[in-house]
Amino acid sequence: MEMSVSIAKALGNIKTPPVWRDTYVPVLLDYDASSGSWSMLASFYYCETWYALGRPIPPYIEYQSIHGASWERVPLEQRFIDRETNLLTGPDTDGEPDLVTIADKDFRQRSAARQYQRILRKWGREEDNFCDLK
């Protein structure tokens, strides 16, 4: 399963990054004006994917695009820990409708697992059980 995020237009003279595509679940998009960099944080959907990454804690991968360059994986920045996610959770695998309302987004956010609602420093017992961790 592949997911993607495309930014059609940014405010002012901000250079948009290329389309982001990967098998992970995008959960947070951020722009840092001082460095001209976009950051995309993603988490896993399947335990096998997380295992293949070496079971990183926190369970996120960060990508950066500087001045519209290709996305590159970078170490997770601590500044994102405990931030609320801001991307649509639970995307439809057949694609999304042209319009997803704020009410729809909020409903999906409330129904999502905690690691998709907030960038967690450490998983709690509920999340640990998700992948049968001891």
Side-chain angles (χ1 to χ4, degrees), residues 56-67:
I57 299 291
Y60 305 96
I61 304 161
E62 182 178 344
Y63 299 81
Q64 278 188 354
S65 171
I66 301 174
H67 299 295

Side-chain angles (χ1 to χ4, degrees), residues 10-56:
L11 297 175
N13 294 333
I14 297 172
K15 178 86 170 142
T16 59
V19 173
W20 177 89
R21 281 188 170 78
D22 212 326
T23 57
Y24 309 113
V25 180
V27 293
L28 188 139
L29 178 67
D30 183 77
Y31 180 73
D32 180 9
S34 65
S35 65
S37 67
W38 290 91
S39 293
M40 174 77 69
L41 271 64
S43 191
F44 70 93
Y45 187 73
Y46 297 107
C47 292
E48 295 79 15
T49 311
W50 182 63
Y51 297 153
L53 289 171
R55 300 180 181 195

Side-chain angles (χ1 to χ4, degrees), residues 81-93:
I81 301 297
D82 205 37
R83 282 206 25 206
E84 285 187 23
T85 60
N86 60 10
L87 295 177
L88 184 65
T89 56
D92 189 335
T93 56

Side-chain angles (χ1 to χ4, degrees), residues 40-124:
M40 174 77 69
L41 271 64
S43 191
F44 70 93
Y45 187 73
Y46 297 107
C47 292
E48 295 79 15
T49 311
W50 182 63
Y51 297 153
L53 289 171
R55 300 180 181 195
I57 299 291
Y60 305 96
I61 304 161
E62 182 178 344
Y63 299 81
Q64 278 188 354
S65 171
I66 301 174
H67 299 295
S70 297
W71 290 103
E72 292 187 25
R73 280 178 62 176
V74 298
L76 180 65
E77 295 175 80
Q78 291 299 305
R79 68 186 177 104
F80 292 119
I81 301 297
D82 205 37
R83 282 206 25 206
E84 285 187 23
T85 60
N86 60 10
L87 295 177
L88 184 65
T89 56
D92 189 335
T93 56
D94 293 330
E96 291 296 333
D98 289 340
L99 176 66
V100 176
T101 67
I102 294 296
D104 292 338
K105 181 181 180 290
D106 289 345
F107 174 77
R108 289 190 201 183
Q109 186 74 10
R110 285 190 308 274
S111 332
R114 284 189 35 211
Q115 75 248 29
Y116 303 123
Q117 294 176 1
R118 180 172 296 280
I119 306 302
L120 303 174
R121 178 177 307 281
K122 183 179 178 190
W123 286 4

